[in-house]
Amino acid sequence: MLDTVKRTISDYTMLETGENVLVALSGGADSVALLLSLRELGYPVRAFHLNHCLRGAESDRDEAFCRRLCEKLGVKLTVERVDIAAAAGDSAVEETARRIRYARLEHAAHGAKIAVAHNADDNLETMLFHLVRGTGAKGLTGIPPVRGRIIRPLIEVERREIEAFLREREQDFVTDSTNADTAYTRNRLRQEVVPILRELNPQAVQAAARLSRQLRQDETCLQSYAQTCVQLCAVGNGAWKIQPLREAASAVRSRALRLLLENADMPLKDVTAKHISALEHLLETASPSAETDLPNGCFARREYDVLRIIPKAETAVERPEIPFTVPFAGMIWKDTVRLTAKKLEKSEVFYKTFNTFCLDCGTIDFESLCVRTRRTGDTLRLTENGGSRSLKKLMIDRKIPRYMRNAMAVIADKNGVIAVQDIGADCSRTAKNNANTLQITVKGLSKNGL
């Protein structure tokens, strides 16, 4: 067994020679074997035991055992007690225990590597667990040998090898009584399914380990391609170009989409194959403004040639019609749009910039001057040689996403539309010089157009 542990540490670059390591010690056979094997291989070890206070006297027995073992071996031991049941509240006890255990291990490690005792049997059980729940290829990679500073030196050692190792050293250990409870899926797999697999193939555990290694290599390659795809897609502000995603192979595209969600700080544990399928449909749909829901109130939106991941749904700002008098300077619509309007003096320089409109005062009814959003029937004539076109068609031509169209500022009076944010001014209203000229500037400040 020691040779396997030594090879595993080397193959996965887990530890440097003589590197300090903190062992997660439960008192069970696996963690005791891990502590002894690392110690025998010459690594300076410390141990950490967390009493979960879940099994009454049995939990206290485990703690006492760990204290005696470490005292006998001369290993420094840190012990903490946490009432996991109380800490869990309405959450799952097992998930709470895992979260707190790893958090306390990280704190106790002080920057050192943390060795945990998952073995090859655990890896097979995990692969089966994911398989019966429904998983992709990544789920079949099993338990990673290395994850950050967490290392698993026993990951290629079978449980029967561990027990033989402890018998040779006449080393006892404690047994968690809940391991016999087949109400837990993992225990049932361990006690009922794995023995059948061993009957079919005595090397079933090692066969699963080989498959796990191969799939991890494949996953690393596909993730690399997915990262490249994401880099090609990047636009900024939560938006991603669609074309590279469309052109990517299916196995790469699905992983790239997960990376996009991860970039949006979405917990991947909440993302299912159904969500990925919905995103892929969004890439191919003919609708340029389609949307799909994502976990935790998030959603994705198609905006013509880009896909935008919205971290959380935001309430649309109410945009009522607002009459205004000249001069005017201020924020409107809950500070999402800045509007300024003033009459130019004859001495002022006449200029036009994007979203700054210079208008002929003689064409404007100042008593009904207002800023509002688009309405059915709104039209705009942008050039002298062209005819009036509906505002809806102009917005479609400019590929303005549907959700943004009702957020754009429309300057109007009783005679109709004067100018529209991000579109332009009606040519019948524009000034030819700086005489009797009204200058209006509108600037949207809202994120994602909401």
Side-chain angles (χ1 to χ4, degrees), residues 39-55:
R39 188 167 175 270
E40 290 183 28
L41 289 172
Y43 293 100
V45 294
R46 295 182 291 121
F48 175 86
H49 177 79
L50 180 65
N51 187 333
H52 297 82
C53 303
L54 288 172
R55 292 176 285 117

Side-chain angles (χ1 to χ4, degrees), residues 217-241:
Q217 292 170 356
D218 292 349
E219 186 65 26
T220 298
C221 177
L222 289 170
Q223 284 291 342
S224 176
Y225 283 123
Q227 289 280 6
T228 300
C229 181
V230 168
Q231 291 170 5
L232 293 173
C233 292
V235 175
N237 194 27
W240 308 88
K241 286 184 287 188

Side-chain angles (χ1 to χ4, degrees), residues 22-27 30-32 34 46-49 101 105 114-117:
L22 178 69
V23 174
L25 182 65
S26 68
D30 299 340
S31 66
V32 171
L34 176 62
R46 295 182 291 121
F48 175 86
H49 177 79
R101 180 168 62 252
L105 277 166
I114 300 168
V116 295

Side-chain angles (χ1 to χ4, degrees), residues 105-267:
L105 277 166
E106 289 281 355
H107 183 265
H110 302 302
K113 298 284 182 62
I114 300 168
V116 295
H118 293 112
N119 58 49
D121 289 68
D122 294 325
N123 187 54
L124 171 57
E125 292 158 13
T126 296
M127 293 170 71
L128 292 171
F129 184 76
H130 288 162
L131 180 64
V132 297
R133 291 182 66 187
T135 184
K138 187 174 182 179
L140 289 179
T141 62
I143 303 173
V146 177
R147 180 175 58 81
R149 291 192 291 115
I150 305 294
I151 61 172
R152 297 179 169 91
L154 301 184
I155 197 64
E156 297 188 353
V157 179
E158 293 189 48
R159 187 169 288 119
R160 57 189 176 186
E161 295 178 281
I162 290 171
E163 293 171 353
F165 174 83
L166 293 175
R167 282 196 300 272
E168 289 174 3
R169 286 152 181 76
E170 298 182 345
Q171 176 61 59
D172 59 344
F173 53 87
V174 295
T175 301
D176 185 339
S177 61
T178 62
N179 288 343
D181 188 353
T182 55
Y184 296 100
T185 303
R186 287 182 180 273
N187 290 347
R188 191 172 183 187
L189 289 170
R190 180 180 303 129
Q191 296 182 38
E192 299 179 9
V193 178
V194 173
I196 294 175
L197 295 178
R198 286 189 189 277
E199 288 179 11
L200 297 172
N201 177 10
Q203 299 300 315
V205 173
Q206 288 304 324
R210 288 193 298 273
L211 174 61
S212 182
R213 285 195 298 272
Q214 292 166 3
L215 288 175
R216 280 196 297 270
Q217 292 170 356
D218 292 349
E219 186 65 26
T220 298
C221 177
L222 289 170
Q223 284 291 342
S224 176
Y225 283 123
Q227 289 280 6
T228 300
C229 181
V230 168
Q231 291 170 5
L232 293 173
C233 292
V235 175
N237 194 27
W240 308 88
K241 286 184 287 188
I242 283 175
Q243 198 57 33
L245 291 165
R246 279 179 168 172
E247 294 173 352
S250 177
V252 173
R253 181 171 57 249
S254 61
R255 286 165 173 80
L257 288 170
R258 287 182 178 273
L259 290 174
L260 299 191
L261 297 180
E262 190 174 14
N263 283 332
D265 295 326
M266 189 177 303

